[in-house]
Amino acid sequence: MIKCKEFLKELTDYLDGTISVSVREELEEHLHWCHECHVVMNTTKKTIEIYRDNQIFELPEPLRNKLHDAIISKCKHSKSGKTRSSS
Amino acid sequence: METIQKKAGEDTSELGLVQAAKGGDLEAFSELVKRYDRNIFRIAQHITHNEEDAQDVVQDAFLKAYQNLEQFQGNSKFYTWLVRIAVNEALMKLRKRRSDKTVSIDEDVETEEGTMPREVADWSPNPEQLYGQSELGDILKKTIQGLPPGFRTVFVLRDVEGLSTEETAEMLGLSIPAVKSRLLRARLQLRERLAKYFKSKRGGDGQP
């Protein structure tokens, strides 16, 4: 029977679903009786979901337009100033 | 709120855009910029934690990509290639800003500290609803800022931007086990820190 420490070690693969059936069964057996690991697993999953669903650091539209124009203008100048291989 | 999230280009027209841009078609390159600028900005912000730096990274990464398009072989996705450039630019910025400290993506803190959960109380059923949108944003920013750069970079690439372990490893020059170990620690540490805000408070101390 696996212990909490071993469960934690596999947590990332467990949450990502990249784990063999036999290991998954062992982990689920552990989750069945270990309330603490169950909470840790659930709240870790929630942590990932919260960061995924609430995108922080969005690029505001006016800034986005400004950056876009700056990029394109720099690109224009960078290529006009250098010889391009056209192979 | 913006919901359009373009992820790694599965779109077949992307190669066409890249080909056209290689030939000097700026319209095509502009399309590529619009496709990924939000992702690149987000990644840059997460790594540098400085908006000015993040803006520079967006500009420099796209410019470098444009100048080096000839070198893009097409055996990886354009997005993956672009992110790699952006991550390098962002790390350079971070190093510059913190010239007093060494910032290294491959510093591995081989301790078990921070991996054994201390906080094991369950969370409220809908933790996000405990806070307003902007307050929640502040909490998430503050929490992730506290992680070492190597941890938050891995977390952002894997869990926020949805890149694979292999892609993340390749981009950061880390081994796959190193990415996995960092991801585990980042996830657990974020969870531990968020618990403070999201813990279910039974018995009521006034605030939800």
Side-chain angles (χ1 to χ4, degrees):
Chain A
M1 203 177 269
I2 64 162
K3 297 198 175 82
C4 298
K5 215 168 156 179
E6 296 163 82
F7 176 84
L8 273 180
K9 233 170 153 179
E10 304 291 344
L11 182 62
T12 272
D13 282 333
Y14 179 75
L15 290 173
D16 294 342
T18 50
I19 212 155
S20 69
V21 178
S22 61
V23 178
R24 166 170 291 270
E25 278 169 1
E26 271 192 90
L27 298 178
E28 276 166 0
E29 160 76 27
H30 178 80
L31 280 179
H32 197 68
W33 61 265
C34 182
H35 176 69
E36 293 194 349
C37 281
H38 199 261
V39 168
V40 170
M41 188 275 292
N42 264 333
T43 50
T44 305
K45 196 167 155 213
K46 193 74 201 159
T47 297
I48 299 166
E49 286 166 3
I50 287 175
Y51 271 100
R52 190 172 290 162
D53 298 345
N54 297 275
Q55 295 291 1
I56 48 178
F57 305 131
E58 282 298 340
L59 184 53
E61 210 57 22
L63 176 59
R64 188 176 178 220
N65 293 333
K66 201 184 94 186
L67 288 177
H68 179 266
D69 291 350
I71 292 164
I72 298 304
S73 145
K74 281 184 186 171
C75 289
K76 213 178 262 174
H77 289 102
S78 85
K79 286 247 163 158
S80 61
K82 89 183 200 188
T83 46
R84 205 168 65 233
S85 66
S86 52
S87 57
Chain B
M1 192 170 178
E2 282 285 351
T3 49
I4 303 161
Q5 284 294 318
K6 298 265 180 165
K7 294 259 167 160
E10 49 286 296
D11 189 346
T12 47
S13 71
E14 177 160 295
L15 253 173
L17 288 174
V18 173
Q19 285 306 337
K22 272 190 186 180
D25 181 348
L26 267 175
E27 282 290 312
F29 190 71
S30 159
E31 271 308 305
L32 292 168
V33 174
K34 285 181 194 157
R35 215 171 260 209
Y36 298 122
D37 55 358
R38 292 192 191 90
N39 304 66
I40 299 300
F41 179 74
R42 215 159 33 222
I43 293 168
Q45 266 273 22
H46 273 292
I47 297 177
T48 63
H49 273 292
N50 178 291
E51 195 179 305
E52 246 173 72
D53 283 350
Q55 290 182 32
D56 287 349
V57 169
V58 172
Q59 295 192 45
D60 296 348
F62 278 110
L63 180 62
K64 263 204 177 149
Y66 186 69
Q67 289 171 330
N68 294 295
L69 267 180
E70 297 291 335
Q71 288 167 30
F72 174 67
Q73 298 298 324
N75 45 13
S76 64
K77 292 177 193 149
F78 174 74
Y79 177 63
T80 321
W81 184 70
L82 179 66
V83 170
R84 191 179 315 148
I85 297 173
V87 166
N88 283 332
E89 293 288 320
L91 286 171
M92 253 170 2
K93 285 272 177 203
L94 192 63
R95 282 187 198 115
K96 254 184 215 162
R97 208 167 264 281
R98 301 185 173 180
S99 47
D100 52 326
K101 287 183 232 160
T102 348
V103 175
S104 169
I105 203 74
D106 42 50
E107 62 185 282
D108 204 356
V109 202
E110 267 310 333
T111 73
E112 295 201 337
E113 206 183 322
T115 53
M116 275 318 277
R118 280 167 294 148
E119 193 55 78
V120 287
D122 209 353
W123 290 4
S124 304
N126 293 303
E128 291 150 285
Q129 287 166 17
L130 296 174
Y131 300 93
Q133 195 61 39
S134 77
E135 204 183 348
L136 178 67
D138 289 343
I139 292 171
L140 298 181
K141 282 179 198 170
K142 202 160 75 185
T143 303
I144 201 166
Q145 268 177 29
L147 294 191
F151 287 16
R152 60 178 195 249
T153 303
V154 168
F155 179 81
V156 165
L157 295 180
R158 280 287 281 101
D159 284 342
V160 181
E161 299 302 326
L163 295 161
S164 70
T165 303
E166 289 74 15
E167 285 171 323
T168 306
E170 198 195 323
M171 272 172 207
L172 301 177
L174 292 171
S175 68
I176 286 175
V179 169
K180 283 190 177 177
S181 124
R182 251 156 254 227
L183 183 63
L184 174 66
R185 280 184 245 178
R187 285 170 166 180
L188 288 175
Q189 286 184 22
L190 288 174
R191 185 204 77 90
E192 198 81 33
R193 289 159 198 238
L194 286 182
K196 183 163 89 186
Y197 302 98
F198 297 150
K199 233 183 336 186
S200 160
K201 288 180 184 166
R202 290 206 187 107
D205 52 0
Q207 294 299 311

